[in-house]
Amino acid sequence: MFLILCFSGNPIFTHMGYSNTLLVGYTILFLVYILFFIDIQTLKKISGILTGLIALIFIIVFFQRIILGAVAYKGVMAYIIKILLSLCTILYYRYEKIDFIDTYVKTLAFLAVVSIPFWILNQFGFYGLEIGKSLRIKSLILYTSYNFIPNSNSIRNSGMFWEPGAFAGYLILALVFIALKNKKFQIGPYGKEILLIFLGLLTSQSTTGYVLIMIIIIIHSMQTYRLGKIVIVPFIVFVISLAYSNLNFMKEKIETQLADTAEMDENDISPGRFGAWKMDWQYIKSQPLTGNGWHESTRYRFHPQVKDIKIGHGNGMSNIIAIWGIPFFLFWLLWVYRFSFQVSRSFVTASSAVFIIILLLQGEQFLNTPVFLSFFFLPYIYVNILSTRSKVHIITSFFKS
């Protein structure tokens, strides 16, 4: 689990000159292992979705080449390799009878508690291995150290990922997984893990993370307390409103981005969540079925000035739809719901999980990571729902692939 998370956003794995070679080499070795050690029946069961997924990608790329005239083949291959890495991980977990959800939750709880002393140290200095040409971040492997940002009074906790918002996203996904295991948004047997995850979320100071914590608390209250809809939920909404008004990094950030988006015209570019949606909507309308591809000349053909600016695209959902088209995204979303329902056996819990994951995508490029691409294959692990929880010790789980 640790390694697939590293390939999903640890800068020492993803932001270095050797990153592509490392990804390809690791995936090939993992694939060879799978072909030699995983029984053929398991491979047959999951080959259908893999074949369909690869076929869908090739069809989309074919039409992108015909309609738009260019395709970033390296980008497409990198995406397929990430899909294969997620497939290998799922097959390995199924073969070893390891509970993917349980291992994910415990690994994120471990990373959260490990991050705290590094985060405290980061308040006093900027330590770690150099990350490419970046002057903002350094890596301590299990923690990404941030340089002080102008006009900021504190350093946010980014865990081992590329930024605090990414760390918050993976922590929120752990809370969603806990809800699926419990059939409802309840604590269940994961009290210790939830405490550590909340600690990581609070220190991340992520706007998206804070908003989603509030939504999860509301859903928890509605599912847990008999008077939740009448008494508790209105009280929580009041507390949330109070917190929003007093947390400047939330209120100011959201209102500034909304104001900037309102003033944008079709020629403007924006790295913000809302601005990126407005910018990407032109591309989605232009190519709703097959997308605009990864190639810079097609992906940003309405904004050629992007080639001279590193905009740092801020909306993972609009970006992936703009690249691959609406059908591809809906296909992935269908598998997210299928997995969520198979685990929770609850329409309300599964739908709430999908809703939270959709909101999660508004912040980061999660759909370009092996962890989120795993949703294509996770239903095949939980097709018969594991009868007993994995008894793998947390340290063993941490070092499992």
Side-chain angles (χ1 to χ4, degrees):
M1 182 60 69
F2 175 67
L3 288 177
I4 192 174
L5 282 165
C6 283
F7 281 109
S8 295
N10 186 329
I12 206 71
F13 281 73
T14 61
H15 288 57
M16 305 296 281
Y18 56 74
S19 294
N20 290 336
T21 302
L22 184 64
L23 173 65
V24 172
Y26 177 74
T27 303
I28 290 174
L29 290 175
F30 204 172
L31 191 58
V32 169
Y33 173 86
I34 292 297
L35 293 174
F36 273 95
F37 290 96
I38 303 299
D39 64 274
I40 194 66
Q41 293 303 318
T42 301
L43 292 173
K44 284 182 178 178
K45 288 179 181 178
I46 209 165
S47 62
I49 177 60
L50 177 63
T51 302
L53 182 57
I54 298 299
L56 175 61
I57 289 174
F58 281 157
I59 290 170
I60 290 173
V61 169
F62 172 78
F63 280 104
Q64 287 176 351
R65 182 70 178 84
I66 296 298
I67 298 170
L68 301 173
V71 171
Y73 292 106
K74 288 184 178 179
V76 173
M77 288 307 300
Y79 205 70
I80 291 174
I81 289 169
K82 290 174 183 178
I83 290 172
L84 290 175
L85 174 55
S86 66
L87 170 65
C88 289
T89 304
I90 296 304
L91 286 171
Y92 177 77
Y93 272 69
R94 182 179 176 88
Y95 177 72
E96 294 289 343
K97 295 182 173 59
I98 298 171
D99 190 334
F100 184 94
I101 290 177
D102 191 61
T103 307
Y104 179 91
V105 169
K106 290 181 178 179
T107 302
L108 263 296
F110 175 83
L111 292 174
V113 71
V114 165
S115 73
I116 300 302
F118 287 118
W119 170 70
I120 294 172
L121 180 65
N122 197 183
Q123 305 301 315
F124 303 97
F126 182 40
Y127 310 102
L129 302 172
E130 300 286 345
I131 301 297
K133 297 180 180 179
S134 176
L135 300 177
R136 288 187 60 208
I137 61 175
K138 292 182 179 180
S139 177
L140 293 167
I141 313 299
L142 295 179
Y143 179 80
T144 302
S145 182
Y146 259 72
N147 201 353
F148 276 96
I149 302 171
N151 302 320
S152 175
N153 295 321
S154 64
I155 294 291
R156 298 161 58 197
N157 186 356
S158 56
M160 72 169 188
F161 300 99
W162 71 91
E163 70 171 31
F167 185 37
Y170 287 115
L171 291 170
I172 289 290
L173 184 62
L175 294 179
V176 170
F177 280 168
I178 289 172
L180 296 179
K181 289 283 285 185
N182 291 333
K183 316 303 180 189
K184 290 183 178 181
F185 282 77
Q186 296 177 338
I187 295 174
Y190 289 100
K192 180 180 70 175
E193 288 79 11
I194 288 177
L195 178 62
L196 297 176
I197 287 167
F198 263 78
L199 189 60
L201 281 166
L202 290 174
T203 54
S204 75
Q205 296 182 46
S206 165
T207 302
T208 301
Y210 277 33
V211 169
L212 290 177
I213 287 176
M214 296 170 184
I215 291 174
I216 288 172
I217 291 173
I218 290 174
I219 297 173
H220 164 75
S221 301
M222 294 180 67
Q223 288 190 325
T224 304
Y225 304 110
R226 186 171 297 179
L227 297 177
K229 297 178 183 178
I230 302 172
V231 178
I232 297 175
V233 171
F235 174 73
I236 291 175
V237 170
F238 170 75
V239 172
I240 288 172
S241 300
L242 196 63
Y244 174 78
S245 300
N246 288 278
L247 292 174
N248 291 331
F249 74 88
M250 283 186 65
K251 182 179 180 181
E252 184 178 342
K253 185 175 181 179
I254 292 174
E255 292 182 357
T256 298
Q257 288 193 13
L258 285 171
D260 291 344
T261 301
E263 296 176 0
M264 285 178 61
D265 60 35
E266 288 191 347
N267 296 319
D268 290 332
I269 60 175
S270 172
R273 291 167 176 79
F274 310 116
W277 248 117
K278 189 170 183 178
M279 176 181 166
D280 287 340
W281 183 239
Q282 297 178 63
Y283 297 92
I284 296 171
K285 287 190 298 182
S286 174
Q287 291 291 114
L289 299 179
T290 57
N292 300 270
W294 290 96
H295 202 285
E296 192 176 82
S297 65
T298 61
R299 173 63 182 89
Y300 293 109
R301 64 188 186 280
F302 301 136
H303 300 86
Q305 67 269 38
V306 167
K307 66 181 180 180
D308 300 317
I309 305 172
K310 294 186 69 174
I311 64 170
H313 201 291
N315 194 301
M317 182 172 164
S318 66
N319 187 43
I320 210 69
I321 295 175
I323 290 171
W324 290 113
I326 296 173
F328 180 88
F329 176 73
L330 292 179
F331 184 57
W332 176 81
L333 206 60
L334 174 64
W335 254 246
V336 174
Y337 175 78
R338 181 180 174 183
F339 159 73
S340 300
F341 184 77
Q342 283 180 188
V343 177
S344 67
R345 296 298 180 185
S346 166
F347 171 77
V348 173
T349 301
S351 300
S352 299
V354 172
F355 174 67
I356 290 169
I357 289 171
I358 287 174
L359 293 181
L360 202 57
L361 294 178
Q362 306 309 309
E364 305 288 346
Q365 304 300 315
F366 289 122
L367 259 176
N368 193 31
T369 68
V371 165
F372 276 75
L373 290 172
S374 297
F375 280 107
F376 281 122
F377 310 110
L378 278 170
Y380 291 87
I381 282 190
Y382 292 92
V383 65
N384 294 316
I385 307 300
L386 298 174
S387 57
T388 58
R389 288 184 60 189
S390 172
K391 297 181 180 180
V392 180
H393 190 270
I394 177 60
I395 300 299
T396 305
S397 299
F398 178 71
F399 286 105
K400 289 293 184 180
S401 170

